Amino acid sequence: MASSSMLKLNAASSSWIAGHQSFNQRPGSAGPLRSRRVSVIRAGSYTDELLKTAKSIASPGRGILAIDESNATCGKSQLQMERSSWTVCKMRILYPGIKVDKGLVPLPGSNNESWCQGLDGLASRSAEYYKQGARFAKWRTVVSIPCGPSALAVKEAAWGLARYAAISQDNGLVPIVEPEILLDGDHPIERTLEVAERVWAEVFYYLAENNVVFEGILLKPSMVTPGAEHKEKASPETIAKYTLTMLKRRVPPSVPGIMFLSGGQSEAEATLNLNAMNQSPNPWHVSFSYARALQNTVLKTWQGRPENIEAAQKALLVRAKANSLAQLGKYSAEGESEEAKKGMFVKGYTY
């Protein structure tokens, strides 16, 4: 893999992303102490491959398979155990990857908030995952609106995501950047927009500080919705409007793809909201990376019984087809089951 170089702005010139004061500027001064400059930063040897992989994953008709690193057992990594599945994935144009964070723990000095651990040893682990066939990584952290969020929690979330992204790219893995803004709370959609803009501004500021190549990442954001306990629900058109407003204000068009999480919405809600966002062209491919909103009806249909497997497979195909159409803006909720319309929000939900 040939190495390549990319032009990127240094810390002073990247400050527009977060609305931060430049590190080269004294408080209260009118401008930076020295002139703004453009640095030539040599990208890693994986850059060309990262750009190709991220663009391919973000293209309609592609898929990904994420394996949870924490599920390794018996001294043998789950990656090794899943190699045969990965071969099938590649045949079906799926990209294998791995969740590399070590989960959420309490953040000292915060307002009962959390931070995500897992940076220790991440470089060596990522290098090994790449050798075994992984081509992307996933790292989930969360921000809670009822808890503030505090400046400390937002900065910790953004910095952790940026370090993870830089380490992943340095080892050939496309990082999926996921700061989930939890649905908990009774706040209006305007408050969610305010917090989302703040969080994503901080995230991209620190991504730039860590020389992350924006063309070689993927985003997994929350949709901008009212808090789950807010007295008024928002329509798909309203959620699409606020979400796209946030993205256009904060996400550079060089990012190839945005794959939304569902975060406790019902299956139908998540699909309708995605569909509303794709009624007009966007700078990025706007798609989905749902868990509960893709699996809920399937798991309830299956119930772990062999005789229900075929029915569960059909239920999965229904949800997959619905969201496939939604990413093209061609979905209709006509014929959706009552189960698909049931909300899945759980206050204080963890996994």
Side-chain angles (χ1 to χ4, degrees):
M1 293 172 286
S3 63
S4 61
S5 298
M6 299 188 67
L7 280 175
K8 299 192 70 179
L9 301 181
N10 68 352
S13 56
S14 65
S15 61
W16 67 272
I17 299 173
H20 281 290
Q21 181 172 273
S22 166
F23 290 130
N24 297 321
Q25 184 176 347
R26 292 195 185 100
S29 63
L33 296 179
R34 60 176 181 265
S35 60
R36 187 172 62 183
R37 70 181 187 275
V38 175
S39 307
V40 177
I41 296 177
R42 185 170 181 79
S45 59
Y46 292 104
T47 300
D48 291 340
E49 181 183 353
L50 289 167
L51 269 59
K52 181 180 178 181
T53 300
K55 184 177 180 180
S56 182
I57 292 175
S59 301
R62 298 296 192 270
I64 58 176
L65 170 67
I67 296 170
D68 191 338
E69 180 187 40
S70 64
N71 288 338
T73 57
C74 304
K76 186 182 293 185
S77 80
Q78 191 176 2
L79 290 177
Q80 292 173 323
M81 293 186 284
E82 295 284 349
R83 273 182 174 172
S84 60
S85 298
W86 286 27
T87 302
V88 175
C89 285
K90 291 176 182 178
M91 291 171 61
R92 298 183 181 180
I93 327 179
L94 292 173
Y95 285 85
I98 186 162
K99 180 179 181 292
V100 296
D101 69 76
K102 297 295 185 179
L104 300 169
V105 294
L107 176 62
S110 70
N111 185 24
N112 196 30
E113 295 163 288
S114 302
W115 70 285
C116 191
Q117 55 188 346
L119 291 176
D120 290 351
L122 181 58
S124 58
R125 286 186 281 127
S126 298
E128 183 62 27
Y129 299 147
Y130 180 87
K131 289 179 182 178
Q132 294 183 27
R135 288 301 177 265
F136 74 89
K138 181 179 180 297
W139 177 288
R140 173 187 177 263
T141 192
V142 302
V143 173
S144 171
I145 293 180
C147 291
S150 68
L152 174 63
V154 173
K155 183 174 182 179
E156 178 61 44
W159 178 255
L161 283 166
R163 290 303 306 140
Y164 139 77
I167 293 168
S168 295
Q169 287 192 340
D170 198 46
N171 290 281
L173 303 179
V174 171
I176 295 180
V177 178
E178 181 183 358
E180 179 176 355
I181 299 173
L182 299 172
L183 280 177
D184 300 64
D186 59 1
H187 49 276
I189 195 170
E190 291 81 6
R191 174 59 176 157
T192 308
L193 175 63
E194 178 187 1
V195 172
E197 288 184 350
R198 177 183 170 195
V199 169
W200 279 105
E202 198 96 351
V203 167
F204 274 101
Y205 177 75
Y206 285 116
L207 287 173
E209 287 288 291
N210 282 274
N211 301 321
V212 172
V213 180
F214 292 171
E215 296 92 329
I217 66 174
L218 296 168
L219 306 187
K220 187 174 178 179
S222 309
M223 297 180 188
V224 178
T225 69
E229 298 166 292
H230 187 60
K231 57 185 178 182
E232 296 180 8
K233 294 192 67 173
S235 67
E237 292 73 25
T238 299
I239 290 172
K241 175 184 175 182
Y242 276 82
T243 303
L244 291 174
T245 294
M246 182 275 292
L247 294 175
K248 290 173 181 176
R249 288 175 177 173
R250 290 294 182 263
V251 180
S254 55
V255 174
I258 296 173
M259 284 67 182
F260 283 102
L261 57 88
S262 55
Q265 300 178 76
S266 74
E267 293 174 334
E269 283 175 334
T271 308
L272 282 167
N273 293 338
L274 177 62
N275 187 70
M277 284 181 233
N278 283 299
Q279 294 307 301
S280 58
N282 294 302
W284 333 266
H285 177 58
V286 178
S287 187
F288 64 98
S289 180
Y290 299 155
R292 283 178 284 171
L294 198 62
Q295 303 167 359
N296 185 57
T297 298
V298 177
L299 294 175
K300 288 186 175 181
T301 301
W302 176 41
Q303 297 180 345
R305 299 175 179 175
E307 64 269 24
N308 293 338
I309 289 177
E310 185 176 351
Q313 290 173 333
K314 290 180 179 178
L316 177 59
L317 286 174
V318 168
R319 291 263 47 90
K321 179 67 178 296
N323 286 291
S324 178
L325 290 172
Q327 70 173 331
L328 301 174
K330 298 179 179 179
Y331 166 73
S332 169
E334 184 178 352
E336 281 283 17
S337 68
E338 290 303 312
E339 187 64 46
K341 298 175 183 178
K342 293 180 180 179
M344 291 177 282
F345 169 73
V346 178
K347 191 172 183 177
Y349 179 79
T350 59
Y351 65 88

